[in-house]
Amino acid sequence: MLIKLMNKERVFSGIQPSGEFTLGNYLGATRNWVRDQDKKINYFCIVDLHSLTVPQDPEELRHQTRSLAAMLMACGLTPEKSTIFIQSHVKAHTEGCWLLNTITPLGWLQRMTQFKDKAAKQESILTGLLDYPVLMAGDIIFYDADEVPVGDDQKQHVELARDIAQAFNHRYEEEFFVVPKPVIPTAGARVMGLDDPTRKMSKSYAHIRGHAVRILDEDKEIMRSFKKAVTDSDNEIVFSDDPAKAGVRNLLGIYQAITGKDNEGVLADFADARGYGDLKVRVGEAVINEVAPIRERHKELMNDPAELDRLLAQGAAQAEAVSQPKVDQMKEIMGLIVPK
Ligand code: AQP
C-alpha cells in the first residue's frame, strides 16, 4: 500500500476567490482535478493571497473564499482523497515566497503575459501583481508536485515555476525541488466569454451580464446567457479556426468538454439542428444538466459553515505538515538558522 502511494504522482493546483466560479474554471481546471483524484496525491488550494493582487472588498472576499471552498467540494473533491485548504492558513507559502524572490530575476516576472494584461488596466501597478507568479511557484514546488493541472491561461506561470525550481536546484542543491509540469486538458482548456469569444471567460468579469456562465446561476439565467451568445451570421455549425467563427467554436468546445465526444461526434449531435438558435439551446441544456446538481450540493455545504471551516482547518494542518518542513530545509540550505 505504501509503495503504491509513493508511486502516485503528486498534484497541486490553485484557484483564486476573485469572483464567482465560472464554467471556464470548471471545465479548464476543477472537473479534471475531480476526475483524476483517485489516481494521484492531491493538494488543492484556494489562493486567497493571490486574489489580493487586485483590489477586493474584504467582506466579499471572505464570502467568496468560503463559497469557493464549498464549490470545490460540491464539484466532487473530497477531503478524504484531496488536501483542500486556504493558502493564507499555511504560512510556509509566504515565508518561502520571500526565499524564492531572492533567486528570481525581475525580467522573468515582467515578461508574464497576465502581468502585462492586468497591469495595463491599472493606474498604479502593485508589487504583488508582479510578484504573484513567485508565490504561485512556491505553492507548487513546496509540495514536490509533479503535475499542475490548469487551464491554458496558466501554462506560462507553471513554466516559470519550473524555471524557479531549476534555478534553486542549480544554485543550491541539485534535485532539491521537483520540477513540475503543466497538464492542460484537450477540451475546455480555454473557454471564451459568451459576450465576446475573443476574450477568456473570467471570474473577474463574471458580474457582467452575458459574459460568463456562473455555476451558481439559476437554470433560466444560464439559458439566457447561451441564447444571447455572440456568434456570426452564416449559420454554419462547424469547427473552424476562422476568427469570425470564434463564437461557434466556443459553443462547440463547451459541448465537447462536457460530453467528451470527438469533433465528429459533436457535429453529429447537431446535424439536425435548425441553425444557431438550436445550437445555443442544446449547449445550454447540456451545461444546465451538468451544473444543476453541483449548485444543489453547494447550497447544502454553505448551510453548515462550522463543518466547512472544520474541513478547511484539517486541510491546512495536512498542507502545513508537508510544506513547512520543505521551507525549513530551504532555509537551512540557504544559510539561515532554523530554530529547533
Ligand atoms: N476561461 C477559462 N477556460 C479554461 N480554464 C480556465 N481557468 C480560468 N479561466 C478559464 C482555469 O481555472 C483555474 C483557476 O483560475 P485562477 O483562479 O487561478 O485564475 P485565472 O486563471 O486568472 O482565472 P479567472 O477565472 O480568469 O480569474 P481572474 O478573473 O481572477 O483572473 C486555472 O487553472 C485556470 O487556468
Side-chain angles (χ1 to χ4, degrees), residues 197-198 232 234 236-250 252-253 256 263:
T198 62
D232 54 80
D234 75 13
E236 224 191 323
I237 302 175
V238 285
F239 282 99
S240 159
D241 288 336
D242 179 352
K245 299 210 62 94
V248 171
R249 190 168 62 243
N250 191 35
L252 292 174
Q256 181 160 47
N263 287 9

Side-chain angles (χ1 to χ4, degrees), residues 266-282:
V266 169
L267 294 178
D269 285 358
F270 293 105
D272 63 341
R274 281 169 305 184
Y276 290 163
D278 268 1
L279 169 72
K280 292 176 184 180
V281 167
R282 289 190 204 174

Side-chain angles (χ1 to χ4, degrees), residues 13-30 32-33 45 47 50-51 53-54 56 68 114 118 132 136 148-155 157-158 183-185 187-193 199-206 211 250:
S13 206
I15 179 160
Q16 301 187 53
S18 47
E20 276 203 46
F21 187 82
T22 71
L23 186 65
N25 301 128
Y26 178 66
L27 295 178
T30 311
N32 310 315
W33 306 348
C45 186
V47 286
H50 289 289
S51 63
T53 54
V54 293
Q56 302 287 344
L68 185 56
Q114 202 177 79
K118 289 194 175 175
Y132 127 75
M136 176 168 162
V148 189
V150 284
D152 185 48
D153 61 315
Q154 288 293 338
K155 188 166 172 237
H157 287 158
V158 182
V183 178
I184 316 281
R190 190 174 285 245
V191 178
M192 309 307 280
R199 200 169 65 163
K200 184 187 81 142
M201 184 182 285
S202 259
K203 267 186 257 99
S204 324
Y205 301 115
H211 167 70
N250 191 35

Side-chain angles (χ1 to χ4, degrees), residues 250-295:
N250 191 35
L251 291 172
L252 292 174
I254 290 170
Y255 186 83
Q256 181 160 47
I258 287 188
T259 59
K261 296 186 178 182
D262 61 11
N263 287 9
E264 277 175 20
V266 169
L267 294 178
D269 285 358
F270 293 105
D272 63 341
R274 281 169 305 184
Y276 290 163
D278 268 1
L279 169 72
K280 292 176 184 180
V281 167
R282 289 190 204 174
V283 177
E285 281 167 354
V287 169
I288 288 168
N289 285 340
E290 175 93 5
V291 306
I294 298 175
R295 198 166 59 215

Side-chain angles (χ1 to χ4, degrees), residues 37-302:
Q37 199 177 195
D38 286 321
K39 298 181 221 150
K40 319 268 175 176
I41 300 170
N42 311 284
Y43 295 91
F44 296 116
C45 186
I46 293 122
V47 286
D48 55 346
L49 297 170
H50 289 289
S51 63
L52 292 177
T53 54
V54 293
Q56 302 287 344
D57 174 75
E59 269 319 307
E60 183 61 17
L61 178 58
R62 257 187 290 277
H63 168 73
Q64 287 293 0
T65 302
R66 282 207 179 81
S67 176
L68 185 56
M71 179 57 79
L72 298 188
M73 295 182 204
C75 288
L77 293 181
T78 73
E80 292 78 33
K81 296 177 185 173
S82 295
T83 298
I84 304 165
F85 66 104
I86 295 174
Q87 185 186 32
S88 64
H89 292 182
V90 181
K91 295 192 173 52
H93 291 244
T94 39
E95 189 182 8
C97 174
W98 176 256
L99 304 178
L100 295 180
N101 275 333
T102 67
I103 60 152
T104 305
L106 184 61
W108 288 6
L109 304 180
Q110 288 169 324
R111 274 208 305 270
M112 292 294 108
T113 312
Q114 202 177 79
F115 168 70
K116 287 194 267 185
D117 286 351
K118 289 194 175 175
K121 291 184 194 119
Q122 281 165 43
E123 271 177 35
S124 160
I125 301 159
L126 302 173
T127 310
L129 186 64
L130 178 73
D131 198 34
Y132 127 75
V134 181
L135 183 60
M136 176 168 162
D139 297 340
I140 298 164
I141 65 182
F142 300 153
Y143 292 86
D144 287 335
D146 307 282
E147 295 182 354
V148 189
V150 284
D152 185 48
D153 61 315
Q154 288 293 338
K155 188 166 172 237
Q156 195 185 31
H157 287 158
V158 182
E159 278 160 2
L160 182 81
R162 289 173 64 82
D163 290 342
I164 293 176
Q166 279 163 337
F168 187 93
N169 291 353
H170 185 64
R171 175 147 161 202
Y172 288 104
E173 187 174 310
E174 284 307 330
E175 297 187 16
F176 178 74
F177 282 123
V178 171
V179 180
K181 60 171 189 288
V183 178
I184 316 281
T186 44
R190 190 174 285 245
V191 178
M192 309 307 280
L194 294 184
D195 59 340
D196 177 358
T198 62
R199 200 169 65 163
K200 184 187 81 142
M201 184 182 285
S202 259
K203 267 186 257 99
S204 324
Y205 301 115
H207 58 281
I208 299 171
R209 233 175 165 201
H211 167 70
V213 174
R214 297 176 300 192
I215 303 294
L216 293 181
D217 280 342
E218 294 297 329
D219 295 351
K220 240 170 55 189
E221 180 64 23
I222 295 180
M223 189 52 86
R224 187 183 164 281
S225 301
F226 275 104
K227 282 185 176 165
K228 296 198 108 185
V230 169
T231 44
D232 54 80
S233 52
D234 75 13
N235 239 0
E236 224 191 323
I237 302 175
V238 285
F239 282 99
S240 159
D241 288 336
D242 179 352
K245 299 210 62 94
V248 171
R249 190 168 62 243
N250 191 35
L251 291 172
L252 292 174
I254 290 170
Y255 186 83
Q256 181 160 47
I258 287 188
T259 59
K261 296 186 178 182
D262 61 11
N263 287 9
E264 277 175 20
V266 169
L267 294 178
D269 285 358
F270 293 105
D272 63 341
R274 281 169 305 184
Y276 290 163
D278 268 1
L279 169 72
K280 292 176 184 180
V281 167
R282 289 190 204 174
V283 177
E285 281 167 354
V287 169
I288 288 168
N289 285 340
E290 175 93 5
V291 306
I294 298 175
R295 198 166 59 215
E296 286 313 306
R297 281 200 296 280
H298 181 268
K299 227 180 263 168
E300 289 162 21
L301 289 157
M302 288 299 278

